[in-house]
Amino acid sequence: MKKIILLFIFTISLFGAPSDKELRNMIGQMVMVGFTGDSSSDEWVKQLHLDIKNGRIGGVMILARNISSKQGLKNLTKYLNSASSKYPLFIAIDEEGGQISRFNKFSDFEHFPSAYKVGSELDLNSANKLYTNMATQLKNLGINMNFAPVVDLHNDISPIIGQRQRAFSKDAGEVTAYASEFISAFDNVGVASVLKHFPGHGNASSDTHKISTIVDSFDFDEIRPYYELIKRKKAKFIMVGHMIIPTIDDVNPATLSRQIVTNLLKDSLNYEGVVISDDMLMKALGGTLEQNAIKAVNAGVDILLVSEYFYNKTNSIKALNDAIFNSVKSGKIEIARIIDAYNRIIAQKARF
């Protein structure tokens, strides 16, 4: 049974500034974290359950290390979801198909082809059926969000996108068409899709997981799938990448760039959904988690994704919550930015 939640849109003009407790709860919704453990009996899974219950996070990310078996994963997601009372918990995974799947080492999960194989060999109707099966598997496992589809353009130069066959096509129109079928299939099943990696990772010649990545040959055709899918009201969640696009912002990675996240995506493309960061611990960002969190929120990012519960011998959840809270209190982040992120998030959680 779906949870019934009251959609509470917070505005300063009607309610005044939020109390510190309300502010903490809003910030908690902006944090999504990866963790260690695959069972409710694991110490850190129990701690995560408490963090969810206390409103410190609004979502979790399932990684291969969290999967012991199909039934084990079902039990884990059920346990974590039971801690969330006011709003549904986002339980997310990377399930693109092909090489990018957390299920590849397990024989009892259904496996799916890469996006490039789908775009090359299947018609749109067949793609829709395939992605309906993918979404159904996730739904049955207790997962309600997928960090897919990739809407980057295929380019063999990219070691992390093209060479791993993660993009549907080099043609923006074909990418849009297949991504649209992916989203429709997932919407029909009730699992959220997250388009990635805005504004376009296909021409990146290096991997943002490992090093700072500059995309010198950025083609604005790479934005076309986002433009089309936003215009069609298909895009509810978009993940922004960590590459530097000098033609837009020659200083900041996209995640930390107000020109890219707010000016381009939210304002110029009129995007009203939720912006999720790529993993904030990836090496392309440099700096500290706290510094980057403040920059990302000011850039317009709504949900901060961090893959590790612990960061530099510190609880990453506490580090993120405190950094944002203290920045609001000191004036480094405007309260209106937190309220905007919170309102965008709960508007989408109302769909669950």
Side-chain angles (χ1 to χ4, degrees):
M1 180 182 295
K2 287 186 177 181
K3 294 184 179 181
I4 300 175
I5 67 173
L6 177 65
L7 183 58
F8 177 59
I9 302 298
F10 199 105
T11 62
I12 294 177
S13 60
L14 291 179
F15 301 101
S19 66
D20 284 358
K21 182 179 180 180
E22 289 171 331
L23 177 59
R24 286 281 189 183
N25 287 335
M26 288 180 176
I27 293 169
Q29 289 297 310
M30 299 173 65
V31 177
M32 180 178 285
V33 68
F35 59 99
T36 298
D38 59 22
S39 167
S40 60
S41 62
D42 291 334
E43 177 184 359
W44 294 114
V45 174
K46 291 180 179 179
Q47 179 59 48
L48 189 67
H49 189 274
L50 185 61
D51 288 321
I52 298 165
K53 184 176 181 180
N54 290 334
R56 299 188 188 109
I57 58 174
V60 297
M61 174 173 59
I62 300 296
L63 297 165
R65 66 189 181 217
N66 306 125
I67 305 171
S68 58
S69 66
K70 183 178 287 188
Q71 188 58 51
L73 181 55
K74 288 181 181 180
N75 293 341
L76 177 64
T77 58
K78 182 178 180 181
Y79 174 71
L80 294 176
N81 202 43
S82 70
S84 182
S85 57
K86 188 174 183 181
Y87 301 123
L89 179 73
F90 285 144
I91 302 179
I93 197 167
D94 279 295
E95 177 58 23
E96 300 173 14
Q99 298 179 43
I100 311 302
S101 173
R102 307 308 181 198
F103 307 138
N104 281 343
K105 68 177 182 178
F106 298 94
S107 60
D108 56 343
F109 291 89
E110 186 174 0
H111 300 150
F112 299 92
S114 69
Y116 190 74
K117 188 176 181 67
V118 170
S120 302
E121 299 181 6
L122 299 185
D123 61 28
L124 293 176
N125 185 55
S126 298
N128 185 287
K129 291 178 180 178
L130 182 147
Y131 289 127
T132 296
N133 291 340
M134 178 186 282
T136 300
Q137 174 166 255
L138 295 185
K139 182 79 169 182
N140 291 339
L141 292 167
I143 294 167
N144 59 18
M145 175 179 282
N146 190 10
F147 293 142
V150 169
V151 295
D152 300 323
L153 304 189
H154 177 84
N155 187 334
D156 287 330
I157 195 175
S158 171
I160 194 64
I161 304 297
Q163 292 174 24
R164 302 190 74 179
Q165 299 197 336
R166 296 172 65 189
F168 290 110
S169 171
K170 64 181 180 181
D171 179 81
E174 291 184 358
V175 169
T176 302
Y178 281 95
S180 181
E181 293 301 326
F182 186 112
I183 295 166
S184 293
F186 271 69
D187 282 349
N188 288 338
V189 173
V191 178
S193 305
V194 181
L195 284 64
K196 62 186 186 185
H197 308 80
F198 189 83
H201 207 309
N203 287 335
S205 59
S206 56
D207 181 357
T208 52
H209 290 84
K210 300 176 181 179
I211 60 173
S212 176
T213 299
I214 299 174
V215 182
D216 287 318
S217 58
F218 184 78
D219 184 343
F220 278 87
D221 205 39
E222 295 189 61
I223 297 175
R224 278 185 55 207
Y226 294 99
Y227 170 78
E228 292 292 342
L229 294 166
I230 290 169
K231 184 172 66 174
R232 299 175 195 178
K233 306 295 183 183
K234 305 277 285 187
K236 303 297 192 302
F237 298 90
I238 291 177
M239 178 178 285
V240 62
H242 296 329
M243 53 284 174
I244 296 174
I245 314 291
T247 53
I248 308 175
D249 184 337
D250 61 1
V251 175
N252 299 295
T255 314
L256 312 183
S257 171
R258 184 173 178 82
Q259 291 99 310
I260 290 174
V261 180
T262 294
N263 297 352
L264 176 57
L265 178 56
K266 289 185 172 180
D267 293 345
S268 295
L269 299 186
N270 198 30
Y271 176 60
E272 298 177 348
V274 175
V275 177
I276 303 178
S277 77
D278 209 339
D279 181 12
M280 296 296 293
L281 296 182
M282 288 163 62
K283 298 189 186 316
L285 289 181
T288 68
L289 176 62
E290 294 88 345
Q291 290 168 341
N292 291 333
I294 295 166
K295 290 179 181 178
V297 171
N298 276 328
V301 171
D302 303 308
I303 292 179
L304 299 167
L305 175 65
V306 57
S307 60
E308 299 291 343
Y309 191 96
F310 287 103
Y311 149 77
N312 198 23
K313 299 183 180 179
T314 301
N315 181 326
S316 60
I317 295 173
K318 184 177 188 306
L320 286 172
N321 277 271
D322 286 351
I324 299 170
F325 179 83
N326 292 334
S327 293
V328 173
K329 303 303 284 187
S330 68
K332 292 181 181 178
I333 297 176
E334 293 183 1
I335 185 62
R337 174 76 275 276
I338 304 302
I339 292 172
D340 173 61
Y342 172 79
N343 287 343
R344 287 171 181 261
I345 293 164
I346 63 167
Q348 294 305 322
K349 287 198 168 187
R351 298 169 55 214
F352 295 92

CSV table of all heavy atoms in Angstrom, one decimal, residues 51 79 84 89 112 189-190 233 297 325-326 339 347:
chain,number,residue,atom,x,y,z
A,51,ASP,N,19.0,6.9,11.6
A,51,ASP,CA,19.2,8.2,10.9
A,51,ASP,C,17.9,8.5,10.0
A,51,ASP,O,17.5,9.7,10.0
A,51,ASP,CB,20.4,8.1,9.9
A,51,ASP,CG,21.7,8.2,10.7
A,51,ASP,OD1,21.8,8.9,11.7
A,51,ASP,OD2,22.7,7.4,10.3
A,79,TYR,N,13.1,-3.2,5.7
A,79,TYR,CA,13.6,-2.7,7.0
A,79,TYR,C,13.9,-1.2,7.0
A,79,TYR,O,13.5,-0.5,7.9
A,79,TYR,CB,14.8,-3.5,7.4
A,79,TYR,CG,15.5,-3.0,8.7
A,79,TYR,CD1,14.8,-3.2,9.9
A,79,TYR,CD2,16.7,-2.4,8.7
A,79,TYR,CE1,15.4,-2.8,11.1
A,79,TYR,CE2,17.3,-1.9,9.8
A,79,TYR,CZ,16.7,-2.1,11.0
A,79,TYR,OH,17.3,-1.7,12.2
A,84,SER,N,10.9,5.2,7.9
A,84,SER,CA,10.4,6.5,7.4
A,84,SER,C,8.9,6.6,7.6
A,84,SER,O,8.2,5.7,7.2
A,84,SER,CB,10.8,6.6,5.9
A,84,SER,OG,10.4,7.8,5.3
A,89,LEU,N,10.8,7.1,1.8
A,89,LEU,CA,12.3,7.1,1.6
A,89,LEU,C,12.6,6.8,0.2
A,89,LEU,O,12.1,5.8,-0.4
A,89,LEU,CB,12.9,6.0,2.5
A,89,LEU,CG,14.4,5.8,2.5
A,89,LEU,CD1,15.1,7.0,3.2
A,89,LEU,CD2,14.8,4.5,3.2
A,112,PHE,N,19.9,-7.4,-18.0
A,112,PHE,CA,19.4,-6.6,-19.2
A,112,PHE,C,20.5,-6.1,-20.0
A,112,PHE,O,21.6,-5.9,-19.5
A,112,PHE,CB,18.5,-5.4,-18.7
A,112,PHE,CG,17.3,-5.9,-17.9
A,112,PHE,CD1,17.3,-6.0,-16.5
A,112,PHE,CD2,16.1,-6.2,-18.6
A,112,PHE,CE1,16.2,-6.4,-15.8
A,112,PHE,CE2,15.0,-6.6,-17.9
A,112,PHE,CZ,15.0,-6.7,-16.5
A,189,VAL,N,5.2,1.6,-13.9
A,189,VAL,CA,5.4,0.6,-12.8
A,189,VAL,C,5.4,1.3,-11.4
A,189,VAL,O,5.1,0.7,-10.4
A,189,VAL,CB,6.7,-0.2,-13.1
A,189,VAL,CG1,7.0,-1.1,-11.9
A,189,VAL,CG2,6.5,-1.0,-14.3
A,190,GLY,N,5.8,2.6,-11.4
A,190,GLY,CA,5.9,3.3,-10.2
A,190,GLY,C,7.3,3.4,-9.6
A,190,GLY,O,7.5,3.4,-8.4
A,233,LYS,N,7.3,17.1,-20.2
A,233,LYS,CA,7.0,16.8,-18.8
A,233,LYS,C,7.4,15.4,-18.3
A,233,LYS,O,6.8,14.7,-17.5
A,233,LYS,CB,5.5,17.0,-18.5
A,233,LYS,CG,4.9,18.3,-18.9
A,233,LYS,CD,5.6,19.5,-18.1
A,233,LYS,CE,4.9,20.8,-18.5
A,233,LYS,NZ,5.6,21.9,-17.7
A,297,VAL,N,24.8,23.2,-3.2
A,297,VAL,CA,23.4,23.7,-2.8
A,297,VAL,C,23.3,25.1,-3.3
A,297,VAL,O,22.2,25.4,-3.9
A,297,VAL,CB,23.3,23.7,-1.3
A,297,VAL,CG1,22.0,24.4,-0.9
A,297,VAL,CG2,23.2,22.2,-0.8
A,325,PHE,N,23.4,23.3,7.5
A,325,PHE,CA,22.6,24.0,8.6
A,325,PHE,C,23.5,25.3,9.0
A,325,PHE,O,22.9,26.4,9.1
A,325,PHE,CB,22.4,23.1,9.7
A,325,PHE,CG,21.7,23.8,10.9
A,325,PHE,CD1,20.3,23.9,10.9
A,325,PHE,CD2,22.5,24.2,12.0
A,325,PHE,CE1,19.7,24.5,12.0
A,325,PHE,CE2,21.8,24.8,13.1
A,325,PHE,CZ,20.4,25.0,13.1
A,326,ASN,N,24.7,25.1,9.3
A,326,ASN,CA,25.6,26.2,9.7
A,326,ASN,C,25.7,27.3,8.7
A,326,ASN,O,25.8,28.5,9.0
A,326,ASN,CB,26.9,25.7,10.2
A,326,ASN,CG,26.9,24.8,11.4
A,326,ASN,OD1,26.0,25.0,12.2
A,326,ASN,ND2,27.8,23.9,11.6
A,339,ILE,N,14.4,25.9,1.1
A,339,ILE,CA,12.9,25.7,1.0
A,339,ILE,C,12.6,25.3,-0.4
A,339,ILE,O,11.7,24.4,-0.6
A,339,ILE,CB,12.2,27.0,1.4
A,339,ILE,CG1,12.3,27.3,2.9
A,339,ILE,CG2,10.7,27.0,1.0
A,339,ILE,CD1,11.8,28.6,3.3
A,347,ALA,N,7.4,17.3,-3.4
A,347,ALA,CA,6.4,17.3,-4.5
A,347,ALA,C,6.5,16.0,-5.2
A,347,ALA,O,5.5,15.4,-5.7
A,347,ALA,CB,6.6,18.5,-5.4
